[in-house]
Amino acid sequence: MNWLIQLPQKYKKFLISLVVSLFIVSAIISIYQLRQIIQLLESPKSSTSWSVVQLQMEHRRFINSLQLYRLGGVKHADLMLRYDILWSRFPVLLEGQENAGFHNIKSARQLVRELFQEVQRIEPLLQALPPSHEKFEQVIERLNMYSSPINTLVNKEFQRNSEFDKKTDFKLLQLQLILSFAIGALLISGSILIVMIVRENHINRYLANHDVLTGLPNRAGLREFIASLENNRRDYAIMVLDLNGFKNINDCYGHEYGDRILNVVAQRLNGQMRHCDYAVRLGGDEFAIVQTRVRSSEDCSGFAQRLINVIEKPMSLEDRECFVGTSIGISTALDSQDDWLTILGQADTAMYQAKQESRCSSWQFFEGQMQLAKEREQHLLSQFRDALENQQMSLFYQPIMDLVNDKVVGAEVQVRWEHPVYGWVEQAELVDVAHACGCVVALESWVLRASTQQLKRWQHGLNTHLQLAVSISSSTLHNDLLVLVNKVLIESRILPHRLIINIIDSNQQMLLDCVDAIRELRRIGVSLSLDNFGSAECPLELLNHLPVQYLRGAKSLMLDLLKSSDKQPMLIATVMFANRLGVKLMVDGVESEQHLEQLKEITKEVMVLGAAVATWAPAEEFSPYLRANANISSE
């Protein structure tokens, strides 16, 4: 019955409807035919023949009794009894419902009626005449005249009943054949229906516990496996795997190709499983492994590395070769009283930690501080909206110095949140939280409005040429940023070129989708900066499409170039590259005077941000610093 599984759903429904209909029709026909057979078997077959034979026998007995009565061999009472018995046979034939067939034979009915009339005429004679009277001879002769016709009638009735029995038997055979076919169809359709129901239940149970795409067990299957496991042992570990680079494959080649990649990964995972291990697809590109018979963490780390090695092997599908990596989080049940759901959550937390700490494939064991970090993230997520609506956020500023004249030419704004439990939450974490709860546009819009109002106050109070750099993510660029910028420029009455939009979270496709809006921002005079220049997040191709005036070097890259003297030529080349493009390089992360002096020795054709210039400060503390260091002059 495996072909039932392979049938398309619409054909499967049609087949089930057909089998159910056949079952119902067969059941109805079987019940009807059975009732017909019972009625036929219960109907009397020979009641007419029996009645005619009884009439014949009583007719002969009465004649014999009448002859004996004449000779004195029978008493008058016995003769009358025999007469009464003979008389009683006539109404049975002439009026009885069981002899309805006899009523339709006119000649037979006429014969019986005549004999009945003759018998009725005898009764007065029997009461009035003595036994020796000569009229009894005449009565006997008249009664004997009916003997031959009655014998003939008996023969005809037996012949007629024989034909009736043949017809009845033939009809009974027909009914039995139809009943046999109906019962056969009932049994076959019922059997098919039972098999289909059992098979569907089996399929539904399989689907309830397995992933349709890969055939691996799902969360329900994992729950059953762990439940059976925890009854006997705690020597297991749960690994959560998330594929690296899978989203790019989906975006480039489509979800159908991505599904095939997931199938290949599932097959590779299954190939590494022992009979006592268990592989699960949690959903999307996340998998889980239950490793049993674990004695120490080394068992898990070695197994995790084998999984990484096998998943990283190139995949060739449809003449395309692609690569995916994986980040693995591990949590063991050894020496732990936590239930499996807690252990699964711990492995998931460790997996995200591994993904954040390394862009290549890696594994990470769960540690206690990870749980604290996860709880912190959940608390921030649950309270962030209210904090934003109640304007509990604060703005901090850091100067931007131009090394050409050692003057502060601008300020970068950063949003922070003073949490009642966790203290100050920095902008990078705030942006991640805002992305997670869908509030990043609201957050960055508030920062843009509030910081431009502060720039307006500095412009009027200090009469400065100060520029303001505001970091904006790709999501906000897609959300009518042009309308928002125009509105804040009108509200703050600052010149467009005083505003620098620093594009962070450089999702290449999202930026290319809104390149027209970015060019329109440049057309109205707003300055643009591209963040993380020199990292994988900011490919050179973007510079062909985005009309930026500033390139902001990746902080980790700039620090690395400053610390290593052998890498300083790369920094010089980066500055020359920016100058050749006609843009200004911003060097972020200059945290010490030593690094600042080293940078000045290499080049002054850059703008600098970092603690070596000044630390982050709120507006009320930053204003005195501006008054002392900013390039103040008349417009």
Side-chain angles (χ1 to χ4, degrees):
M1 300 295 287
N2 288 334
W3 57 273
L4 285 175
I5 302 177
Q6 301 173 358
L7 276 179
Q9 192 63 27
K10 61 177 181 179
Y11 294 123
K12 189 181 293 185
K13 289 182 179 178
F14 173 75
L15 180 60
I16 292 175
S17 302
L18 184 63
V19 172
V20 170
S21 301
L22 178 61
F23 181 83
I24 294 174
V25 171
S26 301
I28 293 174
I29 293 176
S30 299
I31 294 172
Y32 177 76
Q33 295 300 114
L34 189 61
R35 291 180 61 183
Q36 290 290 100
I37 290 173
I38 293 173
Q39 289 178 1
L40 192 61
L41 291 175
E42 288 180 347
S43 63
K45 293 184 178 180
S46 57
S47 58
T48 303
S49 301
W50 181 84
S51 298
V52 173
V53 169
Q54 291 297 315
L55 176 62
Q56 180 191 36
M57 291 173 59
E58 295 303 326
H59 176 259
R60 174 54 51 197
R61 287 171 181 171
F62 178 71
I63 292 176
N64 292 337
S65 296
L66 189 57
Q67 288 175 341
L68 291 173
Y69 177 70
R70 288 186 62 244
L71 298 175
V74 175
K75 295 180 180 181
H76 184 266
D78 294 336
L79 178 65
M80 293 307 297
L81 176 62
R82 184 56 58 191
Y83 174 82
D84 291 338
I85 293 174
L86 173 63
W87 192 94
S88 66
R89 297 303 171 193
F90 291 102
V92 173
L93 274 172
L94 296 175
E95 300 175 6
Q97 293 298 321
E98 294 181 352
N99 300 309
F102 179 78
H103 300 164
N104 298 324
I105 307 174
K106 188 175 180 181
S107 58
R109 191 174 69 252
Q110 183 63 31
L111 172 63
V112 173
R113 195 176 297 279
E114 289 178 359
L115 178 58
F116 186 37
Q117 291 173 355
E118 186 64 34
V119 169
Q120 288 177 323
R121 285 194 293 269
I122 294 173
E123 184 179 6
L125 298 176
L126 295 177
Q127 298 290 345
L129 297 177
S132 59
H133 198 282
E134 60 183 11
K135 283 193 175 183
F136 283 120
E137 283 290 336
Q138 298 174 3
V139 170
I140 292 172
E141 289 179 2
R142 288 198 301 271
L143 290 175
N144 278 329
M145 291 173 55
Y146 289 97
S147 296
S148 179
I150 288 177
N151 290 337
T152 303
L153 177 61
V154 168
N155 293 333
K156 287 182 178 180
E157 279 301 312
F158 272 108
Q159 184 178 0
R160 187 175 69 84
N161 277 323
S162 177
E163 293 176 355
F164 174 78
D165 289 342
K166 289 180 180 179
K167 292 180 179 178
T168 301
D169 291 342
F170 180 73
K171 186 175 181 181
L172 184 62
L173 180 62
Q174 283 182 320
L175 292 175
Q176 289 174 338
L177 286 174
I178 296 173
L179 179 62
S180 299
F181 282 117
I183 291 176
L186 185 65
L187 292 175
I188 293 172
S189 59
S191 301
I192 294 175
L193 194 58
I194 291 172
V195 171
M196 293 179 72
I197 291 173
V198 171
R199 177 67 69 175
E200 281 297 313
N201 287 337
H202 176 74
I203 293 172
N204 290 337
R205 179 172 175 79
Y206 178 85
L207 293 178
N209 293 303
H210 287 77
D211 174 55
V212 178
L213 177 63
T214 62
L216 291 177
N218 56 15
R219 285 181 180 270
L222 175 63
R223 184 181 296 108
E224 287 190 1
F225 179 76
I226 294 290
S228 64
L229 196 64
E230 286 190 332
N231 292 334
N232 305 314
R233 60 207 308 174
R234 297 285 297 178
D235 58 342
Y236 70 89
I238 298 180
M239 301 182 183
V240 174
L241 297 79
D242 185 80
L243 300 183
N244 300 329
F246 179 74
K247 184 178 183 302
N248 292 334
I249 293 176
N250 262 348
D251 293 342
C252 293
Y253 304 127
H255 289 276
E256 186 174 349
Y257 189 85
D259 289 345
R260 297 183 64 185
I261 294 295
L262 291 176
N263 270 316
V264 173
V265 171
Q267 293 171 12
R268 291 182 177 182
L269 290 177
N270 258 335
Q272 298 298 311
M273 295 299 104
R274 300 171 299 172
H275 71 280
C276 56
D277 297 332
Y278 203 68
V280 177
R281 185 188 177 203
L282 298 177
D285 60 344
E286 275 196 0
F287 297 84
I289 305 293
V290 181
Q291 183 184 7
T292 62
R293 301 179 183 175
V294 175
R295 293 165 297 181
S296 65
S297 58
E298 286 75 15
D299 293 342
C300 300
S301 57
F303 186 37
Q305 190 58 52
R306 289 199 301 274
L307 294 177
I308 289 174
N309 294 339
V310 74
I311 290 176
E312 282 189 331
K313 291 180 180 179
M315 303 180 193
S316 296
L317 295 173
E318 299 178 1
D319 298 327
R320 297 190 185 108
E321 190 173 71
C322 61
F323 304 85
V324 292
T326 182
S327 299
I328 302 177
I330 309 170
S331 181
T332 68
L334 298 173
D335 303 323
S336 172
Q337 297 303 316
D338 294 327
D339 61 13
W340 74 272
L341 282 173
T342 302
I343 296 172
L344 177 65
Q346 292 171 352
D348 190 61
T349 301
M351 181 272 292
Y352 278 107
Q353 186 71 21
K355 187 178 284 289
Q356 290 175 2
E357 291 185 359
S358 177
R359 295 188 178 276
C360 57
S361 298
S362 62
W363 49 266
Q364 182 79 262
F365 278 97
F366 174 79
E367 298 175 356
Q369 60 266 31
M370 294 181 185
Q371 185 64 31
L372 296 177
K374 189 173 183 179
E375 292 175 359
R376 170 191 171 100
E377 180 184 357
Q378 291 302 316
H379 288 155
L380 294 180
L381 281 172
S382 63
Q383 301 167 15
F384 178 79
R385 288 180 181 272
D386 290 339
L388 182 60
E389 290 176 1
N390 296 328
Q391 296 186 2
Q392 296 174 5
M393 305 296 169
S394 301
L395 295 181
F396 282 67
Y397 299 88
Q398 178 180 241
I400 302 173
M401 177 182 286
D402 192 342
L403 290 188
V404 173
N405 53 18
D406 281 339
K407 289 291 185 180
V408 174
V409 294
E412 181 184 18
V413 64
Q414 186 182 86
V415 61
R416 295 181 183 181
W417 175 22
E418 188 174 14
H419 192 274
V421 176
Y422 302 114
W424 286 106
V425 182
E426 300 289 337
Q427 174 167 293
E429 187 176 4
L430 271 183
V431 171
D432 290 340
V433 172
H435 273 292
C437 62
C439 297
V440 67
V441 175
L443 175 66
E444 293 179 346
S445 299
W446 178 82
V447 171
L448 183 60
R449 286 194 178 95
S451 59
T452 51
Q453 288 297 324
Q454 180 60 51
L455 180 62
K456 174 184 176 181
R457 288 190 287 273
W458 282 331
Q459 184 172 284
H460 290 169
L462 301 176
N463 192 23
T464 178
H465 294 281
L466 197 69
Q467 288 185 293
L468 177 69
V470 183
S471 295
I472 297 295
S473 64
S474 304
S475 301
T476 307
L477 285 171
H478 271 264
N479 198 65
D480 294 331
L481 179 64
L482 182 62
V483 176
L484 176 62
V485 169
N486 275 313
K487 187 174 182 180
V488 298
L489 289 177
I490 294 172
E491 291 173 352
S492 62
R493 296 182 182 179
I494 63 173
L495 297 175
H497 70 275
R498 302 287 189 218
L499 179 62
I500 302 175
I501 299 295
N502 182 41
I503 302 172
I504 60 174
D505 185 28
S506 304
N507 184 304
Q508 183 175 358
Q509 188 57 50
M510 292 182 69
L511 289 177
L512 293 177
D513 289 343
C514 58
V515 67
D516 290 339
I518 294 174
R519 288 175 177 170
E520 185 63 22
L521 284 173
R522 182 68 194 112
R523 190 190 65 79
I524 65 175
V526 175
S527 300
L528 298 173
S529 170
L530 192 59
D531 203 13
N532 283 322
F533 178 69
S535 69
E537 295 179 357
C538 183
L540 292 177
E541 183 185 354
L542 285 175
L543 298 178
N544 292 326
H545 305 281
L546 305 179
V548 298
Q549 289 73 55
Y550 301 97
L551 290 177
R552 184 161 175 167
K555 188 172 183 178
S556 58
L557 174 64
M558 295 296 106
L559 282 175
D560 187 43
L561 295 179
L562 285 172
K563 289 178 180 178
S564 303
S565 58
D566 58 333
K567 295 182 179 180
Q568 290 181 0
M570 186 180 296
L571 177 58
I572 297 173
T574 305
V575 175
M576 293 177 61
F577 174 78
N579 291 339
R580 184 64 61 92
L581 290 177
V583 299
K584 194 82 168 181
L585 180 67
M586 289 186 181
V587 180
D588 192 5
V590 182
E591 303 298 329
S592 67
E593 288 291 339
Q594 179 185 357
H595 289 158
L596 181 58
E597 293 302 322
Q598 288 177 357
L599 182 59
K600 288 180 178 179
E601 291 176 4
I602 296 171
T603 180
K604 289 189 176 182
E605 298 295 323
V606 293
M607 300 172 78
V608 179
L609 303 95
V613 180
T615 57
W616 290 97
E620 58 271 17
E621 297 178 13
F622 192 68
S623 295
Y625 174 85
L626 284 181
R627 189 171 291 107
N629 296 279
N631 185 15
I632 301 174
S633 64
S634 59
E635 291 285 350

